Amino acid sequence: MKALAVAGLAAAWPGMALAGAWPLDRGDTQVIIKAERMRASEGFDIDSTRRPLLSEREDESLSVFVEHGLTDRWTLQVRSEYQRGQDAFVDYEGDGPVEIGLRYQLLRAAGTSVSLYGGYVRAGEGRNAGYAAPGAGDHDWEVRVLAGHGGRYAWLGGRDAFAEVQLAHRFRDGLPDEDRLDLMFGLHVDADWMVLNQIYAGRTTEGPTVNWSHVESSVVRRWGDWSFQAGWRQAISGRGEVTAQQGPVLAIWRRF
């Protein structure tokens, strides 16, 4: 079982499962369907300077993320998406990457959880990397370490909150290997509302230098086993022909 400090929080809210350091309980399943609509009229060049694009870039995606608790420590996760978009050079529409993997909880103590993830990704017809052309890439393998801490804090007015950091390396076939850093902070405003703030950052580890970082802020409203998320994602920095995208993010969560 999870540590008592976070067990009630995890059971009451799917946000702790979204923070992947915590496994789902045995037999539990969570499904997240997310729609994203990103636009960019500027991009970051090789000197990290914002410059206008030749024409606006548009990227839309509809993704499905499924987690299932195999045991109290092992969690299976699967993700797939459908994409469409356009830029100055191409219009595209088709399947995005499909990912399947397993997480194992290495440590659980006093509100802290540390897990290890290993996964396989099959490239799709859409964009398999934000800096690459549609269809570029083939097969990927990823190793990820996830660490989180959560509980109830007096300095937050007695509210529940959690924070998580994820470090990953993706071994890519047909695209440069990547290092990735994801950060998440979740604050439960009351029994039905949660605020999420996330940072997604990464860099290529071979070939021309490419790096990126995005922030995403959202609110989540719970109705029983259902939760609804609305937020905004925005690029804050980049290098190597990375677009300065921004746009809304909408999601529906269901816990079984």
Side-chain angles (χ1 to χ4, degrees):
M1 298 297 293
K2 299 181 179 70
L4 182 61
V6 295
L9 176 59
W13 269 92
M16 295 289 281
L18 181 64
W22 285 271
L24 288 188
D25 290 334
R26 182 196 302 262
D28 283 1
T29 300
Q30 178 168 258
V31 178
I32 301 175
I33 301 174
K34 179 179 284 190
E36 304 176 19
R37 188 178 187 184
M38 299 294 132
R39 299 287 186 273
S41 58
E42 294 181 317
F44 300 97
D45 64 15
I46 58 174
D47 298 316
S48 300
T49 302
R50 279 180 178 258
R51 299 188 184 278
L53 300 176
L54 294 176
S55 67
E56 186 177 72
R57 171 169 155 175
E58 303 178 359
D59 292 292
E60 299 177 352
S61 67
L62 181 65
S63 63
V64 178
F65 177 76
V66 181
E67 294 181 297
H68 179 72
L70 300 175
T71 71
D72 289 339
R73 288 185 182 267
W74 285 98
T75 300
L76 171 69
Q77 68 179 58
V78 180
R79 184 181 185 277
S80 64
E81 65 180 57
Y82 190 80
Q83 303 177 353
R84 67 180 182 185
Q86 62 181 13
D87 57 26
F89 306 101
V90 64
D91 291 356
Y92 71 94
E93 182 172 357
D95 294 334
V98 176
E99 180 173 355
I100 184 170
L102 288 170
R103 295 198 315 268
Y104 179 74
Q105 187 183 45
L106 298 170
L107 171 68
R108 49 185 172 189
T112 296
S113 181
V114 178
S115 295
L116 179 66
Y117 169 80
Y120 167 77
V121 185
R122 186 195 69 192
E125 301 170 320
R127 294 190 189 276
N128 301 297
Y131 54 84
D138 194 358
H139 301 278
D140 303 337
W141 295 92
E142 181 175 285
V143 177
R144 181 175 294 257
V145 177
L146 314 91
H149 184 82
R152 182 164 293 172
Y153 302 95
W155 59 277
L156 291 174
R159 295 183 175 91
D160 295 315
F162 66 91
E164 182 188 59
V165 58
Q166 300 184 11
L167 295 170
H169 184 78
R170 179 163 288 197
F171 303 89
R172 314 205 70 166
D173 184 7
L175 288 169
D177 289 358
E178 299 173 0
D179 287 331
R180 298 186 177 189
L181 168 67
D182 297 343
L183 303 173
M184 179 187 298
F185 175 74
L187 173 65
H188 299 265
V189 179
D190 60 25
D192 294 318
W193 288 92
M194 178 170 63
V195 176
L196 279 177
N197 288 291
Q198 297 164 270
I199 297 175
Y200 306 101
R203 65 177 184 179
T204 58
T205 60
E206 55 189 2
T209 300
V210 178
N211 60 55
W212 61 90
S213 58
H214 300 82
V215 295
E216 180 177 317
S217 295
S218 60
V219 293
V220 183
R221 175 66 161 91
R222 186 186 64 166
W223 280 279
D225 292 330
W226 295 85
S227 295
F228 299 87
Q229 179 184 10
W232 187 266
R233 182 183 300 164
Q234 182 164 337
I236 56 174
S237 67
R239 183 178 182 183
E241 308 305 326
V242 175
T243 59
Q245 288 187 305
Q246 59 183 353
V249 176
L250 300 174
I252 300 173
W253 306 359
R254 179 67 165 91
R255 189 77 174 263
F256 300 92

